[in-house]
Amino acid sequence: MSGGPSASPTLLATAQRELHALYRRVPSPGDYASMTAIEERWILPKARAYEASAPRFGSPGELLGALKDFLAEEEAALPESATFLAEHATLEQFTTVVRQFALDGLTESESLLPVVPRLPYRSAMAVFRVLIDELGCGNEEKAHSQLYRDLLTELGLSLRPEDYLDETVPECYAYVNMFHWLASRAASPQYFLGAYAYFETSVLYAFQSFARAAGRLGIVHDAYYTEHLYIDSYHSGHMRTAIRALEEPDLAKIWAGVRLASDIVGTATEAAVARAREAVA
């Protein structure tokens, strides 16, 4: 995944957990001030930098072509951590990685729902089709968060998000916080469109290492990974439709969303695998 402008390690260590807590409750005026202060130091500089450096795309089609090239380049240069996870991680190491993403997996897509009314109608409907699948079309057993619960249960892990608060690394807190910011806090929902268009396509290669590790380790409840490898090809198409449906696209903001997601998701994955390696070193 791509690197980019980043907050200081001190900020990540002290603020991402606080921001996660703020995002999970109805904020007071003081909470809003705290949120804004953290966002101003963390994600807003990244968004502004990526927006300022975005190519001058002439049309949504041109941007989507650049996104396709960006994804292809990223897939061709997957980091060593992907091979490690797929081919070498022990069950204990794989379990450590699963734990690092539990705060996201246990609440998957819940934070994304507020973006729908913020988008123009046709674009919103394309996004809503994606979210319906994420939530299992109302079928609790098929919701992606339930698939993660099934995986956690098989691994003997807690289903209570609060049990992961102390162990989640700052980069994985940032992963969860990014989705909330994109859906609810960003000044424009077009950042979300770029980020989620990237995410729904990148999962098709990024989750391969997780699926291969689960298969190699004999994990039965691997559907969280295999379902994404199946359904996200459809989701990728819907997200491209959501971008094309915009009557007034801000292509620089959409591209900034692409780069933000690549940056933050990649950094979180690297941090999770590094923690797994340290845990059994």
Side-chain angles (χ1 to χ4, degrees):
M1 307 286 178
S2 299
S6 60
S8 70
T10 301
L11 171 61
L12 281 173
T14 59
Q16 290 294 346
R17 178 171 175 172
E18 179 186 356
L19 189 60
H20 178 263
L22 290 168
Y23 283 163
R24 298 291 293 176
R25 65 178 184 247
V26 177
S28 68
D31 289 340
Y32 273 116
S34 297
M35 270 189 232
T36 301
I38 295 171
E39 292 165 349
E40 189 63 50
R41 288 180 291 151
W42 164 53
I43 201 166
L44 287 170
K46 292 174 179 284
R48 291 168 184 148
Y50 283 133
E51 188 174 348
S53 64
R56 295 186 178 276
F57 299 113
S59 67
E62 188 177 328
L63 180 147
L64 290 171
L67 173 58
K68 180 179 179 180
D69 293 341
F70 181 78
L71 289 158
E73 291 169 6
E74 195 171 84
E75 182 176 9
L78 287 175
E80 180 274 339
S81 58
T83 302
F84 169 78
L85 187 61
E87 300 179 6
H88 306 294
T90 65
L91 179 60
E92 182 179 356
Q93 289 171 323
F94 179 78
T95 300
T96 298
V97 175
V98 171
R99 293 174 74 100
Q100 285 300 313
F101 289 105
L103 289 178
D104 177 69
L106 285 168
T107 59
E108 182 159 336
S109 299
E110 291 177 7
S111 66
L112 304 184
L113 291 169
V115 80
V116 174
R118 300 184 65 203
L119 289 165
Y121 180 75
R122 290 180 60 214
S123 183
M125 290 302 99
V127 170
F128 194 54
R129 284 195 293 272
V130 174
L131 298 185
I132 286 172
D133 285 339
E134 297 283 341
L135 298 170
C137 299
N139 181 344
E140 181 181 344
E141 293 181 357
K142 297 298 183 181
H144 289 185
S145 59
Q146 182 59 45
L147 298 181
Y148 210 85
R149 286 178 173 85
D150 294 341
L151 174 64
L152 291 171
T153 298
E154 180 176 350
L155 294 173
L157 301 176
S158 172
L159 303 184
R160 290 159 36 96
E162 54 267 34
D163 290 337
Y164 298 96
L165 296 177
D166 290 337
E167 67 179 272
T168 300
V169 297
E171 295 86 351
C172 290
Y173 268 115
Y175 177 96
V176 180
N177 290 341
M178 173 191 71
F179 290 113
H180 188 108
W181 182 84
L182 288 165
S184 300
R185 297 283 296 161
S188 169
Q190 297 200 41
Y191 291 113
F192 172 90
L193 293 180
Y196 221 60
Y198 162 84
F199 185 75
E200 290 292 326
T201 307
S202 68
V203 162
L204 298 172
Y205 54 81
F207 267 25
Q208 288 284 353
S209 59
F210 290 84
R212 288 173 60 194
R216 175 176 57 81
L217 294 168
I219 293 170
V220 174
H221 293 95
D222 62 351
Y224 179 80
Y225 303 114
T226 58
E227 173 69 10
H228 278 86
L229 294 176
Y230 162 71
I231 198 64
D232 282 1
S233 61
Y234 297 97
H235 292 176
S236 175
H238 288 319
M239 291 309 303
R240 291 193 297 271
T241 296
I243 291 171
R244 291 193 185 97
L246 293 171
E247 294 183 2
E248 298 182 4
D250 189 326
L251 301 178
K253 284 184 172 60
I254 295 170
W255 186 252
V258 170
R259 298 302 305 273
L260 272 174
S262 175
D263 175 355
I264 294 172
V265 173
T267 300
T269 304
E270 288 296 300
V273 174
R275 173 57 65 91
R277 285 172 141 158
E278 294 168 1
V280 293

